[in-house]
Amino acid sequence: MDQLTIKKIGVLTSGGDAPGMNAAIRAVVRAAFYYNLEAFGIYRGYEGMINNDIRKLDSRSIAHVLERGGTFLKSARSEEFKTPEGRKKAYENLKSHGIDALVVIGGDGSLTGAHLFFKEYGIPAVGLPGTIDNDLFGTDLTIGFDTACNTAIQAIDKIRDTATSHDRLFFIEVMGRDAGFIAINAGIGSAAAAILIPEKKMPVEKLIERLKTREKAKKESNIVIVAEGGKSGGAAEIAEKVKKILPTYDIKVTILGHLQRGGAPSAFDRTLASKLGVSAVEGLLHGKYDVMVGVINNKVVFTPIKRAIVDDKKVDEEELRIAGILST
Ligand code: F6P
């Protein structure tokens, strides 16, 4: 596609919110003003595009948002945008505002929407990886992952105190639909006895063996981190299986859930989001369309959205090996 003249950029957040999304929106809007473009906020993701919930942003609208969790543009998972009729409505609304390019901040579902929209209507779009799950190819880390891991570790530290006081075994479920990144990071950072992730199956026998070894080593507490959607089942399911084999163990289950999505973004997430937000606008101005902007080895990299959503981001085998050594 030839390079277009872009004057009005629409920005939206979509899918599960992630700490750092506000910092990303702010960077997009600030960069747009720097390059003399107009910026429009599209509220509630693709739902807002369909319902024409679109407002022009000025510099006041992004004041004091950098440090806030959530997304002031709000977010949604839109079923209607998956239909050609929904996307047609969205296109007509964008045109009525004269919006000629988009920055979409979200996970793989949100980027899939941007890709489809570009294919059908030729609206240039750059995606920003915004998800706590860190499951997007084309960036070492996604916006929100670092904060979510820190939040999980702080919560697990607190559970460790009570687990040690009562000599208990805790199964703690962390988020990460189909992806074990949070579990591995939080597991290493909280000295977990074992980490169960969707990408690798750990037979219950192996887990029992690990717990017995730790009992011999007189460990006072055991924390097992379970990624939601893990192949071996959720934390409650695994706890039940273990209880049947080790009936004398005092077992508890905690699901950290949505608390992992909230809170002020970490320094790392603020910086990452700011860097990516500015790069997205510059990418659009340089004719980079239908791409996701990420950071790999500390360099800003543009990856075709198609690759970012289809290619698998692999968990780090080295981290898993290290976690194995540290948990014995
Ligand atoms: O994609 C981010 C995420 O937090 C996943 O880890 C989790 O499975 C999912 O969103 C939960 O989504 P919802 O808030 O819509 O239930």
Side-chain angles (χ1 to χ4, degrees):
M1 186 181 195
D2 293 339
Q3 196 167 323
L4 303 167
T5 306
I6 292 170
K7 293 207 172 93
K8 296 184 180 186
I9 292 186
V11 57
L12 64 107
T13 48
S14 159
D17 62 340
M21 279 184 162
N22 280 325
I25 301 163
R26 169 184 177 267
V28 170
V29 175
R30 282 243 179 280
F33 294 164
Y34 181 83
Y35 290 107
N36 296 317
L37 311 172
E38 285 179 49
F40 288 78
I42 302 167
Y43 287 74
R44 295 181 178 78
Y46 294 111
E47 283 296 290
M49 227 192 252
I50 293 168
N51 300 325
N52 204 13
D53 197 356
I54 301 174
R55 286 169 245 168
K56 197 168 163 190
L57 298 174
D58 57 26
S59 57
R60 293 317 308 148
S61 40
I62 46 156
H64 304 299
V65 300
L66 168 78
E67 65 276 22
R68 279 166 43 198
T71 158
F72 82 90
L73 288 180
K74 300 186 179 285
S75 194
R77 301 187 194 277
S78 175
E79 284 307 312
E80 203 180 347
F81 196 75
K82 292 183 186 158
T83 67
E85 298 75 30
R87 293 195 291 276
K88 186 163 182 290
K89 272 196 228 164
Y91 175 72
E92 279 157 9
N93 287 330
L94 285 189
K95 282 290 111 184
S96 72
H97 292 276
I99 294 172
D100 36 33
L102 288 175
V103 176
V104 174
I105 307 165
D108 54 357
S110 314
L111 300 190
T112 305
H115 173 64
L116 262 180
F117 206 52
F118 176 73
K119 272 200 349 196
E120 285 174 3
Y121 293 103
I123 298 280
V126 171
L128 254 67
T131 166
I132 64 164
D133 292 355
N134 196 32
D135 58 347
L136 281 168
F137 181 87
T139 191
D140 287 340
L141 297 169
T142 55
I143 298 165
F145 172 69
D146 181 67
T147 309
C149 289
N150 281 306
T151 304
I153 283 174
Q154 281 165 18
I156 298 164
D157 283 350
K158 293 188 167 91
I159 294 171
R160 171 76 72 184
D161 292 343
T162 173
T164 309
S165 304
H166 288 266
D167 297 320
R168 278 176 171 159
L169 161 59
F170 267 84
F171 286 87
I172 303 179
E173 188 172 299
V174 296
M175 271 191 170
R177 188 166 36 202
D178 308 320
F181 296 99
I182 298 178
I184 295 172
N185 192 293
I188 292 177
S190 64
I195 302 169
L196 308 187
I197 56 170
E199 294 87 343
K200 299 253 166 179
K201 196 169 165 63
M202 180 187 276
V204 75
E205 299 72 31
K206 196 170 165 204
L207 177 57
I208 301 288
E209 201 183 297
R210 173 90 52 92
L211 293 170
K212 293 242 168 96
T213 311
R214 288 173 62 89
E215 195 181 335
K216 278 192 203 123
K218 306 219 176 316
K219 302 270 182 189
E220 290 181 317
S221 62
N222 284 297
I223 303 265
V224 175
I225 304 294
V226 184
E228 61 166 350
K231 284 203 175 63
S232 335
E237 225 177 314
I238 295 166
E240 225 165 88
K241 282 187 200 157
V242 170
K243 185 78 192 160
K244 280 194 186 124
I245 306 171
L246 301 173
T248 58
Y249 274 56
D250 190 356
I251 298 178
K252 297 280 172 188
V253 175
T254 303
I255 296 173
L256 296 186
H258 287 79
L259 77 83
Q260 294 159 97
R261 289 234 297 254
S266 64
F268 180 87
D269 276 328
R270 293 180 198 199
T271 312
L272 177 68
S274 302
K275 211 189 259 188
L276 294 181
V278 172
S279 303
V281 173
E282 291 180 338
L284 283 169
L285 293 175
H286 289 108
K288 291 192 194 302
Y289 309 149
D290 199 20
V291 290
M292 184 196 86
V293 58
V295 170
I296 299 177
N297 293 332
N298 231 7
K299 292 242 160 6
V300 170
V301 176
F302 292 88
T303 302
I305 291 186
K306 215 170 154 193
R307 276 203 76 192
I309 54 182
V310 170
D311 284 14
D312 245 7
K313 183 176 193 172
K314 302 264 183 278
V315 291
D316 187 338
E317 293 292 334
E318 186 55 10
E319 283 185 357
L320 283 177
R321 190 183 72 80
I322 287 166
I325 291 175
L326 294 175
S327 62
T328 48

